[in-house]
């Protein structure tokens, strides 16, 4: 699949580091032009620069509709089209229902759920103009089963699952595929803020007894972005070391 994405243009959110950066790098390595977006400007600029001429960085708050318009314009101005969207950006707060205030819930909702909605809506027109496209929404194993201490995060990740199914049905007639990936515990900075001992517990509840690596999620993204998955839409792909079994 070394040239599987030649001529394609991808947008990857939350791409300044971790999982999103790995996804952007792998898509570029397989021929895509990539627009990386994030609120972490210096890290995002450095990531795009290290990928090279095939990449651009746009400072981007995914909860802003105007921000999405700027990202799509940047992609089409630089590379002429949009073929792939990876809705990767997300935030988490390890809080139970009774400890979650409205401000925290709203902040997580705006990034994890509203951002996915705005992103899908923003790319429909350019993807239709390109003859089709692939939208890949990153949910979580928390979008497949309830959790005891990630109330707001779990709520939004279940919402991503539902939005992906609905969008897959709606957009299939335009040759726009919408699929959803459910990572398990991945070794990224997102886990740095977990309470002491929580990561060890998560690993112990993973049948493969380890954290996943960002590139293992990126490989799933590559397949869903490529023509190899051309008849796949509405799929739910768990990449979680067996945690959701």
């Amino acid at each position: 699949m070394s040239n599987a994405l030649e001529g394609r243009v991808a947008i990857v959110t939350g791409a300044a580091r971790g999982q999103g950066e790995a996804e952007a790098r792998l898509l570029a390595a397989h021929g895509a032009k990539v627009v990386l977006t994030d609120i972490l400007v210096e890290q995002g600029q450095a990531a795009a620069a290290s990928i090279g001429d095939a990449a651009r960085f746009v400072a981007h708050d995914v909860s802003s509709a105007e921000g999405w318009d700027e990202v799509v314009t940047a992609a089409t101005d630089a590379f002429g089209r949009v073929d792939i969207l990876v809705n990767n950006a997300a935030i988490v707060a390890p809080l139970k229902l009774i400890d979650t205030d409205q401000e925290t819930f709203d902040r997580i909702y705006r990034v994890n759920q509203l951002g996915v909605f705005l992103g899908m809506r923003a790319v429909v027109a350019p993807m239709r103009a390109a003859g089709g496209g692939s939208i890949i929404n990153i949910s979580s194993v928390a979008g497949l089963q309830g959790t005891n201490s990630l109330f707001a995060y779990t709520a939004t990740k279940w919402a991503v699952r539902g939005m992906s199914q609905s969008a897959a049905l709606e957009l299939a007639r335009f040759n726009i595929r919408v699929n959803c990936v459910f990572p398990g515990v991945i070794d990224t900075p997102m886990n740095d803020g977990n309470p002491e001992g929580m990561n060890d517990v998560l690993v112990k509840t993973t049948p493969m007894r380890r954290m996943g690596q960002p590139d293992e999620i990126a490989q799933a993204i590559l397949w869903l972005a490529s023509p190899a998955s051309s008849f796949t839409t509405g799929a739910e792909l768990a990449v979680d070391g067996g945690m959701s079994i």
Side-chain angles (χ1 to χ4, degrees):
M1 294 175 64
S2 59
N3 295 310
L5 300 179
E6 194 71 36
R8 307 295 176 92
V9 177
I11 297 169
V12 183
T13 67
R17 63 182 185 177
Q19 188 173 288
E21 181 183 358
E23 293 159 1
R25 287 186 183 281
L26 192 63
L27 295 178
H30 287 260
K33 309 294 186 184
V34 184
V35 176
L36 295 78
T37 89
D38 210 301
I39 60 171
L40 301 174
V41 176
E42 291 185 7
Q43 289 174 275
Q45 289 173 335
S50 68
I51 293 172
D53 292 340
R56 299 287 188 277
F57 173 75
V58 179
H60 177 213
D61 172 3
V62 296
S63 69
S64 164
E66 293 78 10
W68 274 105
D69 291 340
E70 292 172 5
V71 168
V72 169
T73 297
T76 54
D77 285 352
F79 302 125
R81 55 193 290 156
V82 175
D83 304 277
I84 300 159
L85 169 63
V86 185
N87 272 315
N88 173 82
I91 58 175
V92 64
L95 298 171
K96 297 182 179 182
L97 165 64
I98 59 175
D99 298 320
T100 303
D101 58 38
Q102 184 174 339
E103 181 181 358
T104 298
F105 189 93
D106 185 63
R107 179 168 56 88
I108 293 173
Y109 152 75
R110 290 184 63 80
V111 174
N112 296 8
Q113 181 178 348
L114 180 62
V116 172
F117 156 66
L118 292 174
M120 289 195 292
R121 190 180 66 172
V123 300
V124 169
M127 285 186 176
R128 288 185 66 180
S134 175
I135 297 172
I136 304 155
N137 294 327
I138 308 299
S139 181
S140 166
V141 66
L144 294 171
Q145 57 191 28
T147 63
N148 187 43
S149 57
L150 298 169
F151 181 80
Y153 181 79
T154 299
T156 59
K157 291 303 186 179
W158 276 86
V160 169
R161 183 183 187 187
M163 291 193 297
S164 299
Q165 291 280 306
S166 293
L169 289 170
E170 178 181 343
L171 301 178
R173 62 195 176 103
F174 303 126
N175 195 34
I176 298 173
R177 301 182 294 110
V178 185
N179 294 290
C180 198
V181 175
F182 299 79
V185 186
I186 309 301
D187 188 11
T188 70
M190 179 177 279
N191 290 307
D192 293 347
N194 288 342
E196 184 177 355
M198 183 175 178
N199 290 341
D200 291 337
V201 171
L202 292 172
V203 168
K204 287 178 181 178
T205 57
T206 300
M208 292 186 73
R209 293 297 190 272
R210 66 174 177 87
M211 286 189 174
Q213 295 301 309
D215 193 59
E216 293 178 296
I217 305 301
Q219 292 288 346
I221 301 312
L222 174 63
W223 181 71
L224 289 170
S226 79
S229 61
S230 58
F231 199 52
T232 302
T233 195
E236 298 186 332
L237 179 57
V239 188
D240 64 357
M243 184 182 251
S244 61
I245 295 173

